[in-house]
Amino acid sequence: MRFIFFILISLISINTFALSTKVEFAGYKFLSKTKVGGTFKDVAASYDKNSKDLESVLKSIDVKINTKSLETNNDGRNKNILTTLFGLKGEKYISAKTKLVNLKNEYIVMTMSIEKIQKEVIFQYTKVKNKIIFSTSIDLVAFGLGEQFGNFVK
């Protein structure tokens, strides 16, 4: 049983390095089940505004996601996720900060913190028009959320 969390973060206007984020997710209780999609409405992202090139921008990205801003377009599902998965250890945010940039292979490594557990997570990125779209999959059990996950699937 795994709740896999896919995250998409968009960087808009890479030519001017203006940062705008949208975080979407797709979660699965079981790999054979239909995905549950959603977004987080409260996302703060920053970067070094003195950056002169893409690599410098990517190296300085810092993201903070308010887990209470989760939205799946289903109030019951929102409540279930928020009362069983997030915030139970007193942590209100998911945070991520860039640790490594690989321009050749188009990925970054971010140090992510979920419920006070830190892990390095690889985000692949693709350039689409004037955006850079980052994506990754996160097994929440690897972040110490096994007990919460068990409560979630009940």
Side-chain angles (χ1 to χ4, degrees):
M1 289 185 269
R2 294 220 164 135
F3 187 85
I4 304 208
F5 203 54
F6 294 95
I7 297 180
L8 299 174
I9 301 174
S10 299
L11 257 178
I12 303 193
S13 302
I14 63 170
N15 294 331
T16 59
F17 302 123
L19 184 62
S20 173
T21 57
K22 179 179 180 182
V23 177
E24 299 175 327
F25 66 87
Y28 299 84
K29 283 187 187 178
F30 306 96
L31 293 178
S32 61
K33 289 225 174 188
T34 305
K35 72 178 178 180
V36 172
T39 188
F40 290 97
K41 297 185 288 184
D42 183 4
V43 179
S46 63
Y47 70 98
D48 180 0
K49 291 173 181 43
N50 295 318
S51 298
K52 302 291 184 205
D53 58 33
L54 179 60
E55 184 173 16
S56 297
V57 169
L58 295 177
K59 282 182 178 179
S60 67
I61 293 175
D62 194 354
V63 179
K64 196 171 189 179
I65 303 167
N66 182 340
T67 57
K68 299 293 184 202
S69 72
L70 174 133
E71 180 55 60
T72 65
N73 293 322
N74 179 312
D75 291 339
R77 185 182 301 129
N78 292 349
K79 182 178 178 183
N80 187 26
I81 293 171
L82 291 172
T83 59
T84 57
L85 285 178
F86 297 121
L88 301 181
K89 295 182 180 180
E91 191 63 37
K92 184 178 174 181
Y93 297 96
I94 295 171
S95 62
K97 183 162 182 58
T98 303
K99 180 177 181 174
L100 174 96
V101 174
N102 186 316
L103 292 176
K104 180 180 176 186
N105 296 310
E106 297 187 327
Y107 71 85
I108 63 173
V109 176
M110 298 191 90
T111 302
M112 283 193 86
S113 178
I114 301 175
E115 293 296 315
K116 300 183 181 182
I117 302 289
Q118 285 191 345
K119 299 278 183 190
E120 290 181 4
V121 177
I122 297 172
F123 284 78
Q124 291 296 141
Y125 69 84
T126 55
K127 298 172 192 170
V128 180
K129 297 184 181 179
N130 66 337
K131 296 180 184 179
I132 296 180
I133 299 173
F134 297 88
S135 61
T136 193
S137 64
I138 299 168
D139 181 347
L140 294 179
V141 174
F143 275 89
L145 298 176
E147 184 178 336
Q148 288 99 310
F149 179 76
N151 292 332
F152 175 67
V153 296
K154 286 182 182 177

